[in-house]
Amino acid sequence: MVETMKKKLLVLIPILLLLLPTLLYAEEKVILRVLMPIGGGYTEEAQMELAREFMEKYPEVEVRMEFVGWAELWDKIISSIAAGEPPDVIYIGSRWIPALADMDAIIPLDDYITPEKYKMYPESVWNTVRYKGKIWGVVRAMSTKAMIYNAKLLEKYGILKLPETWDELLEAVKRCHHPEEGVYGYLLAGERFVSTVSQFQNFLYANGGLIVDPETGKAVINSVEGVEALEFYAELAKYSQPNPIEWRREELIELFSAGKGCFYIDHVHNLLRAVKAGIDADAFPIPRGPHAKQPTACVFITDSIAIPKLAKNKEWAWKFIEFMTSLEQQTKFDLALGFVPPMLEERKLMFFQRWYWKPYIHMIDYGVPEAAGIKDWEAVQDVILTAIQKVLLGQATAKEALDEAAARINEIQGVTG
């Protein structure tokens, strides 16, 4: 019996010695935690597939995906950082970068980004993740805006040329405004909601204005460019659907798809939704204001991938970001969700040659970051909403409302003098 056991051990020992490196290797796998949002087209299945593909390429890494709803994403990030246990990779709204950077919660990525990686994106895309001269994230998803119009209504009311300036737009809107027929010249958002701010921002940026000076952080929304933009927004409200103060941008597509609006600003998804509803719709660049510094402009909203300062595996986090934002993976993502492509090479794909993409891709080069230089976007957004609603309700002039807003924004920004 003893002799038999010895023989078995002599056979097993070489096998165990051969397996030992594998067993040790399995125990020493790098654990990479990745926090991703779910909802709005983002699915657990797609993110898990991305993780599986990464692990196939790097078998020494185990990717552990963590999921949270969009509404809880910010709180999840902050609580994990406060606890000293953030994930290695976090998905963020790029508007959060100033706050996270000032908290010393994320790291700049300039040392990781190669010249080859940098050249994959236009400068306007990098600007959405740049703060205090450094780059804090790599863009994963983005949207631009354009002016959508109902071609049949424009033809009916004798609009033969698409507007390029505010004066031309206002003239067209007035000619198209026939509430007695159930047709409104311009569909305008005025409800106390985030998208009302972005709708106004399109006009602010199209007039050469900004919310704050990106270098100093000081409010400049009450400049002549800003005042003109809010005055123009209020003027458009005179030729909009009834009670614009009760409407969100997200709801305006219902009116437009019913043939009740001539012009309004929205993203490509709702242009296509209108077409599917039978509207002869198209889009064009947002008309410029009297103080414009370029032919057009729009608010440029992006989501990006960042690395927390307390991440345990920063080098592997960057490898994951590189993989996630490779041309192959980015293209797969944008085609699946129908997002505006951030990479220059993507624009050459046949999919993005379709007619409805042209104005939205054109706007990339004229996009202005949603929250450039703003340290607390949620608080500043609330201040701007108050200013917009005061003017729409006739409670203040544009100048009065924006002077008040600028003072409050400076308090939020910590700017004095």
Side-chain angles (χ1 to χ4, degrees), residues 33-48:
R33 295 170 55 210
V34 179
L35 178 64
M36 293 292 297
I38 295 301
Y42 294 67
T43 66
E44 288 190 21
E45 293 77 14
Q47 310 311 325
M48 290 303 296

Side-chain angles (χ1 to χ4, degrees), residues 249-413:
R249 186 205 70 212
E250 291 79 358
E251 299 165 337
L252 297 176
I253 184 60
E254 302 295 338
L255 286 177
F256 190 80
S257 294
K260 295 182 177 294
C262 293
F263 297 95
Y264 92 112
I265 295 173
D266 212 335
H267 52 63
V268 67
H269 298 94
N270 277 341
L271 169 60
L272 292 177
R273 183 175 166 185
V275 171
K276 289 177 181 176
I279 301 298
D280 184 7
D282 204 340
F284 63 98
I286 294 169
R288 64 184 181 275
H291 282 86
K293 299 175 179 66
Q294 52 189 12
T296 183
C298 74
V299 63
F300 203 4
I301 300 174
T302 69
D303 299 329
S304 51
I305 319 296
I307 301 175
K309 185 176 182 180
L310 297 178
K312 291 181 173 62
N313 298 293
K314 293 183 179 65
E315 296 300 321
W316 279 110
W318 175 250
K319 281 185 181 294
F320 187 83
I321 291 173
E322 273 198 308
F323 179 81
M324 189 180 190
T325 61
S326 64
L327 178 60
E328 178 185 355
Q329 293 295 337
Q330 187 65 48
T331 298
K332 187 189 301 185
F333 176 77
D334 290 326
L335 292 180
L337 277 73
F339 285 150
V340 177
M343 293 182 175
L344 292 165
E345 196 66 23
E346 287 183 275
R347 300 186 195 181
K348 300 176 184 177
L349 296 173
M350 286 300 298
F351 179 81
F352 293 114
Q353 305 308 311
R354 298 174 183 179
W355 63 270
Y356 49 84
W357 282 111
K358 184 177 180 180
Y360 293 93
I361 290 176
H362 176 79
M363 294 303 296
I364 293 173
D365 294 332
Y366 300 101
V368 180
E370 176 186 30
I374 296 174
K375 298 181 179 181
D376 185 344
W377 172 248
E378 306 303 323
V380 168
Q381 169 185 282
D382 194 61
V383 170
I384 297 172
L385 276 171
T386 296
I388 293 170
Q389 289 203 322
K390 279 188 174 183
V391 174
L392 291 180
L393 291 169
Q395 297 172 350
T397 66
K399 176 64 174 169
E400 291 167 346
L402 291 181
D403 280 345
E404 182 181 339
R408 181 69 187 105
I409 290 170
N410 283 335
E411 290 177 9
I412 295 167
Q413 293 281 100

Side-chain angles (χ1 to χ4, degrees), residues 54 62 103 120 154 158 188 207 217 254 353 379 381 388:
F54 183 78
E62 179 185 337
M103 287 179 203
M120 293 174 73
L154 265 61
L188 187 133
N207 196 36
E254 302 295 338
Q353 305 308 311
Q381 169 185 282
I388 293 170

